[in-house]
């Protein structure tokens, strides 16, 4: 059944479209589907049905007229127009051309085979591996399209000049945060990763202007992470969010929002499939910090590498036993 009414969700989405555009200012033309994926989770009703239909078969959506897309999604042409505006497009023609260009590039690149296909219990490991690689590749491309490099620059400058960096996350996001803490620590940046809300809040309360707090949450709705980042912000610290949703509570709270995409598969829902894109974004941020503190970072990395070098296993040369003068490191 085709809907012909203007629901409250549609009106809200149009009103909020400008806010979405500000967060997604760095979205390239090649990131149309990434933009739709990022916004779909925040839509309901008719607009959500349009987003789900576009994502389920982008090539068919690119070929459809506005009337055909409305009929297939059970909505109306007016809803399609509102959806386009909510996603930051002037009209359906812009959305359609963007999807057509993106699906064409992806098809020629050959890395979208079986994207969206559920992994079956009987699938051989080769197919499972191909599916994981395809999904992660798409998520990486979508993340590159969503990411605002200007925001990465701002975050890198803030961290490079910070006396202390706190990183907050829970569950899988905590593991990602610990990886970032490890990288920053190796180049001499005083960084701590917290996943316990009591310890994290206590540490956040000691931050001040010039410090940085970074919160990692794919959904942007993890209460503990939001609380810790809010406490840090109230103390004057610069706050950075790494999340998949530009209008999530965490993103709205943060001074800087770094957006990531995900591509769910069987046994790997969004929260799990978001790990690799999150690591890519944080790796980029880490490199950007190292660039801006080059001399200090280089010296710190050399000293930390030398400190652990003695614990590496001895390398055995052909023909020796690994002991005495023939052994080397």
């Amino acid at each position: 059944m085709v809907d012909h009414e203007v629901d409250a969700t549609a009106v809200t989405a149009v009103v909020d479209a400008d806010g979405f555009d500000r967060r997604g200012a760095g979205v390239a033309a090649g990131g149309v589907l990434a933009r739709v994926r990022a916004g779909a989770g925040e839509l309901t009703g008719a607009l959500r049905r349009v987003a789900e239909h576009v994502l389920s078969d982008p090539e068919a959506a690119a070929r459809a007229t506005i009337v055909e897309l409305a009929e297939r999604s059970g909505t109306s042409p007016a809803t399609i127009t509102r959806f386009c505006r909510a996603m930051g497009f002037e009209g359906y023609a812009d959305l359609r051309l963007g999807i057509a260009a993106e699906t064409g590039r992806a098809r020629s690149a050959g890395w979208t085979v079986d994207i969206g296909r559920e992994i079956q219990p009987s699938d051989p490991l080769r197919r499972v591996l191909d599916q994981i690689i395809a999904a992660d590749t798409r998520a990486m491309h979508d993340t590159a399209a969503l990411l605002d490099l200007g925001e990465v620059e701002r975050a890198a400058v803030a961290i490079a000049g910070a006396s202390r960096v706190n990183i907050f996350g829970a569950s899988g996001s905590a593991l990602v945060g610990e990886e970032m803490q490890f990288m920053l620590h190796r180049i001499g940046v005083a960084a701590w990763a917290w996943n316990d809300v009591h310890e994290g809040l206590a540490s956040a309360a000691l931050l001040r202007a010039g410090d940085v707090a970074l919160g990692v949450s794919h959904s942007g709705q993890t209460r503990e992470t939001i609380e810790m980042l809010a406490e840090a912000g109230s103390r004057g610290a610069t706050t950075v969010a790494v999340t998949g949703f530009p209008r999530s509570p965490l993103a709205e709270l943060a001074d800087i929002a770094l957006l990531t995409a995900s591509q769910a598969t069987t046994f790997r829902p969004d929260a799990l499939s978001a790990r690799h894109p999150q690591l890519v974004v944080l790796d980029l941020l880490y490199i950007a910090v190292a660039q801006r503190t080059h001399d200090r970072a280089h010296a710190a990395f050399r000293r930390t590498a030398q400190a652990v070098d003695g614990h590496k296993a001895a390398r055995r040369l052909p023909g020796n036993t690994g002991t005495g003068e023939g052994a080397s490191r």
Side-chain angles (χ1 to χ4, degrees):
M1 179 178 178
V2 177
D3 80 290
H4 293 283
E5 67 226 57
V6 178
D7 59 30
T9 302
V11 174
T12 301
V14 174
V15 172
D16 290 345
D18 289 341
F20 185 90
D21 281 345
R22 281 194 298 273
R23 291 292 191 187
V27 177
V32 175
L33 295 177
R35 193 188 308 195
V36 174
R37 285 191 192 91
E42 299 169 356
L43 302 177
T44 58
L47 292 179
R48 179 65 175 266
R49 293 202 299 275
V50 176
E52 290 174 345
H53 185 79
V54 168
L55 292 174
S56 68
D57 194 346
E59 293 189 4
R63 294 192 299 268
T65 65
I66 189 171
V67 173
E68 290 171 339
L69 184 59
E71 291 177 347
R72 294 171 186 173
S73 60
T75 61
S76 68
T79 299
I80 302 298
T81 299
R82 289 194 297 274
F83 170 77
C84 293
R85 291 173 182 169
M87 293 296 105
F89 298 96
E90 292 186 5
Y92 181 60
D94 290 337
L95 174 67
R96 186 181 179 187
L97 288 173
I99 294 174
E102 185 171 348
T103 54
R105 283 194 300 271
R107 188 169 56 251
S108 64
W111 47 260
T112 60
V113 177
D114 280 348
I115 278 290
R117 175 188 179 278
E118 289 296 305
I119 297 173
Q120 303 302 319
S122 59
D123 283 347
L125 287 181
R126 170 52 61 183
R127 180 176 286 277
V128 174
L129 176 60
D130 290 344
Q131 185 71 2
I132 292 173
I133 291 175
D136 282 354
T137 302
R138 165 58 69 86
M140 300 295 185
H141 280 264
D142 286 353
T143 295
L146 281 173
L147 193 59
D148 186 336
L149 295 181
E151 293 290 89
V152 177
E153 173 79 24
R154 288 180 59 204
V157 169
I159 292 174
S163 58
R164 181 185 180 98
V165 177
N166 271 10
I167 304 168
F168 306 120
S171 189
S173 295
L175 299 177
V176 174
E178 289 172 3
E179 178 73 10
M180 183 60 168
Q181 186 270 338
F182 169 75
M183 291 190 294
L184 290 177
H185 187 71
R186 288 296 298 269
I187 59 171
V189 176
W192 287 262
W194 305 98
N195 57 28
D196 179 90
V197 66
H198 293 275
E199 294 177 350
L201 285 172
S203 183
L206 298 177
L207 297 181
R208 55 190 178 183
D211 293 332
V212 174
L214 190 153
V216 183
S217 170
H218 173 65
S219 68
Q221 298 184 35
T222 303
R223 182 186 303 174
E224 293 86 349
T225 304
I226 293 169
E227 289 178 358
M228 291 184 285
L229 201 69
E231 176 66 27
S234 72
R235 303 295 175 174
T238 298
T239 53
V240 182
V242 178
T243 179
F245 296 90
R247 287 183 293 198
S248 64
L250 189 70
E252 293 291 349
L253 167 69
D255 298 314
I256 301 169
L258 306 181
L259 300 181
T260 63
S262 64
Q263 185 70 44
T265 60
T266 307
F267 306 121
R268 295 173 76 226
D270 281 343
L272 293 180
S273 61
R275 283 181 306 174
H276 293 159
Q278 287 171 342
L279 288 170
V280 167
V281 169
L282 291 179
D283 200 30
L284 174 64
L285 180 57
Y286 155 72
I287 294 296
V289 172
Q291 287 178 316
R292 285 150 186 78
T293 59
H294 181 269
D295 292 344
R296 184 184 77 189
H298 183 72
F301 195 84
R302 186 176 63 251
R303 290 199 302 272
T304 55
Q306 289 173 344
V308 300
D309 189 62
H311 290 271
K312 293 180 180 179
R315 184 176 58 195
R316 296 185 178 182
L317 299 176
N320 70 47
T321 61
T323 61
E325 295 182 354
S328 65
R329 294 189 181 275

